[in-house]
Amino acid sequence: MLRIGIIGTGGIADAHIEGYRAFPETCEIVALADVVPGKAHDKALAFGLTEVAAFDDPRAMLAEARLDIVSIATPPSTHAALAVAALDAGIHVLVEKPMAPSLEECDAMLAAQRRSGRMLSVVAQNRFRDDLATLKDVVDSGMLGSISHIRVDSAWWRGLPYYDLWWRGTWEKEGGGCTLNHAIHHIDLLLWLLGSPTEITAMLANAQHENAEVEDLSVALFRYDRGLAQLTSSVVHHGQEQAIVIQGAHARVSQPFSVVAERSRPDGFPEPGGDPDVVSRIDALVAARTPLAHLGHEGQIGDLLAAVREGRAPVSTGQDGRNAVEVVTAIYKAGFEREFVALPIAASDPYYRAGRLVANAPHFFEKKASLIEAAS
């Protein structure tokens, strides 16, 4: 029976608690920790975890609770130090997105993983959604042909009070705005589907949140071989209509799922009715899929538990988390410096280092509130 601890008992910790509780035959939650006095105890009571030890010091929990796995669900600026401490203590780590605010910190986490021999997994719960796993299967099948263009809309909406929470809305504590903390999911999916781009450029703005230093909107362009991708990261989009649209040589697939395929007339214009053969082949592939047994955080936690038992890598690794942070870093560098940024980003690049982004980031506005708890 694997012994589980969770550091950070804010809202996202609920998904971790429920995820572990879905596998009672494999693991048990034995400890919770939060730096706010009493908060871990209150979270344990709320979930009926009467036998769980509650700590106000995360490092005390790592030292005393005899853990096999720890979930880190704290603000991004704390991820690296906590993950390194846990790995060095011989504990497997599942860390919330984003992995860390800088590539330097990501690499410190990966170094700790290598020297400890433990596992490091970064939350990428959207890989464990049937609609998105379907896109992955279609892309991997090769039925689309070479990829021409991908449009990713990471479209969310948040009101002004969202940035009143103490760690949100600042470059130092949150590490960035919607690009890092919301679109990181879609960036991970883009990399999962297509791999890393070779070049990125971007523009950033704060369109609607006068109480935050960080951006609430960014638009980035990516170069992929002969094709291009575009990513909109936002917390100003009413309706929160998120989408991924992949255009290949033979067909288009998208999430929400649909498939369209054109066929050329002799003069190059599209044939009415498209190409039903291509559509039917893709539809058959989709229909033959076995649905995922566990979804979201529960799916990722189940995969990590299985990976520990089987001695294999988890579906979402520390390197995957670093790759997503590298893309975010390139978007910020491109937006701040108004340039094209080539990937990979070298360790000699100033933006690789912790603190450089904070030093160079524009303050669109100044933070006006610093609440310990978000308003309910």
Side-chain angles (χ1 to χ4, degrees):
M1 184 70 71
L2 296 171
R3 293 170 60 85
I4 309 300
I6 299 172
I7 301 175
T9 55
I12 198 62
D14 296 4
H16 289 255
I17 292 170
E18 296 290 7
Y20 288 114
R21 288 171 63 163
F23 302 95
E25 72 289 351
T26 302
C27 68
E28 60 177 341
I29 301 171
V30 299
L32 301 178
D34 199 289
V35 295
V36 177
K39 191 174 178 183
H41 176 264
D42 292 344
K43 182 68 74 171
L45 287 180
F47 278 85
L49 300 172
T50 56
E51 303 301 316
V52 167
F55 293 82
D56 295 335
D57 181 352
R59 291 179 183 271
M61 185 186 82
L62 295 177
E64 299 171 19
R66 296 187 297 110
L67 302 174
D68 297 299
I69 300 173
V70 65
S71 276
I72 297 174
T74 56
S77 61
T78 67
H79 287 179
L82 290 170
V84 169
L87 290 163
D88 284 344
I91 302 168
H92 302 290
V93 171
L94 174 63
V95 61
E96 266 295 337
K97 59 78 186 170
M99 180 175 176
S102 74
L103 291 171
E104 183 178 32
E105 292 164 292
C106 290
D107 283 343
M109 296 164 74
L110 290 172
Q113 177 194 10
R114 289 191 294 270
R115 66 176 175 261
S116 70
R118 301 293 91 183
M119 292 185 187
L120 172 61
S121 182
V122 178
V123 170
Q125 75 269 26
N126 286 333
R127 295 189 183 195
F128 296 88
R129 281 177 43 175
D130 272 312
D131 56 346
L132 297 169
T134 297
L135 282 190
K136 173 70 169 169
D137 287 348
V138 173
V139 171
D140 289 350
S141 75
M143 291 184 184
L144 298 181
S146 63
I147 303 300
S148 312
H149 179 259
I150 181 167
R151 175 173 61 84
V152 182
D153 292 334
S154 185
W156 307 83
W157 189 92
R158 295 292 185 269
L160 289 174
Y162 179 78
Y163 285 109
D164 289 345
L165 190 61
W166 68 273
W167 58 270
R168 288 185 187 143
T170 69
W171 293 103
E172 181 180 6
K173 294 293 191 297
E174 195 174 14
C178 57
T179 312
L180 179 67
N181 292 292
H182 288 78
I184 195 78
H185 291 299
H186 284 92
I187 290 168
D188 174 74
L189 291 171
L190 178 62
L191 299 178
W192 188 47
L193 292 166
L194 295 188
S196 292
T198 59
E199 188 177 38
I200 294 175
T201 193
M203 297 184 73
L204 312 170
N206 183 315
Q208 300 295 342
H209 292 86
E210 297 88 350
N211 60 338
E213 300 170 4
V214 298
E215 89 286 356
D216 60 11
L217 176 66
S218 71
V219 178
L221 294 176
F222 304 70
R223 185 176 300 282
Y224 277 98
D225 297 325
R226 293 174 60 187
L228 298 174
Q230 66 189 76
L231 166 71
T232 298
S233 310
S234 170
V235 286
V236 300
H237 274 56
H238 296 273
Q240 304 190 114
E241 294 169 350
Q242 297 157 37
I244 300 175
V245 182
I246 305 170
Q247 302 282 355
H250 307 312
R252 183 209 82 190
V253 291
S254 59
Q255 178 273 330
F257 190 79
S258 68
V259 55
V260 178
E262 305 289 1
R263 182 171 52 187
S264 180
R265 296 186 331 200
D267 62 1
F269 284 86
E271 187 76 52
D275 193 331
D277 292 339
V278 171
V279 172
S280 65
R281 287 198 299 272
I282 293 175
D283 282 341
L285 172 71
V286 172
R289 285 190 69 257
T290 300
L292 298 172
H294 301 278
L295 304 176
H297 278 77
E298 182 180 309
Q300 180 155 4
I301 286 169
D303 173 73
L304 178 61
L305 295 171
V308 171
R309 292 196 310 271
E310 299 164 11
R312 62 165 175 82
V315 166
S316 177
T317 65
Q319 186 62 50
D320 293 326
R322 184 200 189 277
N323 292 344
V325 171
E326 182 173 48
V327 167
V328 172
T329 302
I331 291 172
Y332 282 144
K333 180 181 179 181
F336 297 170
E337 306 292 343
R338 301 187 179 187
E339 64 181 50
F340 289 83
V341 176
L343 296 183
I345 294 175
S348 58
D349 190 305
Y351 279 86
Y352 170 88
R353 296 195 296 273
R356 180 61 185 238
L357 187 144
V358 173
N360 282 20
H363 283 213
F364 290 100
F365 297 93
E366 296 305 320
K367 189 170 174 66
K368 296 179 181 178
S370 187
L371 302 180
I372 296 298
E373 294 287 345
S376 59

